[in-house]
Amino acid sequence: MESPAVVARGLTKWFGDGETRTFAVREASFEANYGELLYLVGPSGSGKTTLLSMISGILTPSSGNVTLEGKDIWKMSSTDLADFRLHKLGFVFQDFHLFPRLTTAENVAIPLILQRMPWDKAIDVAEKFLEIVGLPNKGALPPIKLSGGEQQRVAIARAIAPHPDILILDEPTASLDGDTGRRIVEFVKQEILTPTSCIIIVTHDSRIFEYADAIMTMEDGRVTGIKRTGTE
Ligand code: ADP
Ligand code: MG
């Protein structure tokens, strides 16, 4: 537990080549500590999603490295990385990636089942987390029967149900009304954040700023600052 939960060093991502090369993220270096809820803020297009995709093992960096729980994830084999992601990471991306042919509860249960929790127990846990995000009695429905905001809450339930060590939420309250967003972030901070876990949230939502332990800013692909608030 000596090293920080997340360490990024010189992380850079460009798209295209030659004349058309554009940098989405340039030389991003930062650390996120255990027990910390870190907010990432910055204008649209500043590279937040690209940065978090590299941190989550989804998008290969052009250069730089990412160390999670002391392991350089981009040096792992793809099977080891997939296994690491399954057991250690939770994330919600801006498009929710729900499986259309599964029920809402099955969607939430998937990571638990992949972690070898028995099916019935996983569905019970899924139903509990659907209730926590304010969707009781929706477990049997397919995602298509839910509104955008409800689908976002299903994606949040799926990410938090396994109590991941590293939880990454990309604009998780964008489609939610203020009260719901606040309640969910409050729950995540109280129940999911522990001294051995770490949460990174991208948000523009000033209504939930009070829960931050640290705020990191990005502009034009660069990390421009990180301020630790020291609040619990
Ligand atoms: P944010 O999440 O802060 O809005 P993004 O990380 O989505 O920003 O995007 C940062 C920049 O990288 C933008 O200019 C975007 O157009 C560009 N970008 C992101 N993904 C791609 C891609 N797959 N191909 C080309 N450009 C991309
Ligand atoms: Mg984004």
Side-chain angles (χ1 to χ4, degrees):
M1 207 62 59
E2 279 112 52
S3 56
V6 177
V7 181
R9 288 286 175 261
L11 262 190
T12 298
K13 183 71 187 182
W14 62 73
F15 294 102
D17 253 323
E19 296 269 293
T20 64
R21 178 177 287 185
T22 54
F23 284 83
V25 174
R26 294 173 193 258
E27 293 289 327
S29 298
F30 73 95
E31 293 169 5
N33 297 317
Y34 287 105
E36 186 166 82
L37 176 56
L38 182 142
Y39 280 20
L40 173 54
V41 299
S44 177
S46 58
K48 304 180 300 295
T49 296
T50 306
L51 178 63
L52 294 187
S53 303
M54 293 190 283
I55 301 286
S56 320
I58 287 163
L59 183 69
T60 316
S62 304
S63 65
N65 54 59
V66 178
T67 307
L68 302 181
E69 308 210 309
K71 295 188 186 70
D72 186 336
I73 61 164
W74 289 108
K75 294 221 169 82
M76 290 179 181
S77 68
S78 53
T79 15
D80 285 352
L81 178 55
D83 195 59
F84 184 88
R85 280 172 47 194
L86 172 64
H87 289 98
K88 303 287 188 181
L89 278 176
F91 39 78
V92 175
F93 280 107
Q94 283 165 294
D95 31 13
F96 315 130
H97 296 296
L98 301 178
F99 298 102
R101 288 174 186 282
L102 301 181
T103 67
T104 294
E106 286 163 355
N107 265 280
V108 176
I110 284 270
L112 303 169
I113 290 162
L114 289 172
Q115 290 179 2
R116 308 201 181 288
M117 188 182 281
W119 179 276
D120 289 351
K121 174 145 188 251
I123 295 291
D124 282 351
V125 173
E127 296 282 5
K128 185 187 115 189
F129 275 85
L130 284 170
E131 202 171 319
I132 285 164
V133 297
L135 298 174
N137 312 318
K138 302 271 188 186
L141 298 176
I144 192 130
K145 298 272 180 185
L146 305 180
S147 71
E150 289 173 335
Q151 290 184 29
Q152 185 163 40
R153 284 188 267 166
V154 176
I156 294 170
R158 180 174 60 184
I160 64 180
H163 292 265
D165 287 0
I166 298 170
L167 175 65
I168 293 178
L169 306 169
D170 197 349
E171 308 204 20
T173 63
S175 316
L176 307 182
D177 67 79
D179 271 357
T180 307
R182 215 183 133 86
R183 216 170 37 73
I184 290 176
V185 172
E186 196 170 55
F187 175 84
V188 164
K189 173 135 195 189
Q190 281 169 3
E191 304 296 332
I192 306 296
L193 187 63
T194 70
T196 59
S197 73
C198 161
I199 303 177
I200 300 178
I201 302 185
V202 174
T203 188
H204 298 286
D205 189 350
S206 56
R207 296 168 302 195
I208 56 174
F209 274 11
E210 67 185 273
Y211 300 106
D213 300 308
I215 297 182
M216 180 164 95
T217 48
M218 276 188 89
E219 247 171 86
D220 199 18
R222 296 180 193 280
V223 172
T224 50
I226 182 161
K227 198 183 280 172
R228 294 198 148 80
T229 59
T231 56
E232 284 306 311

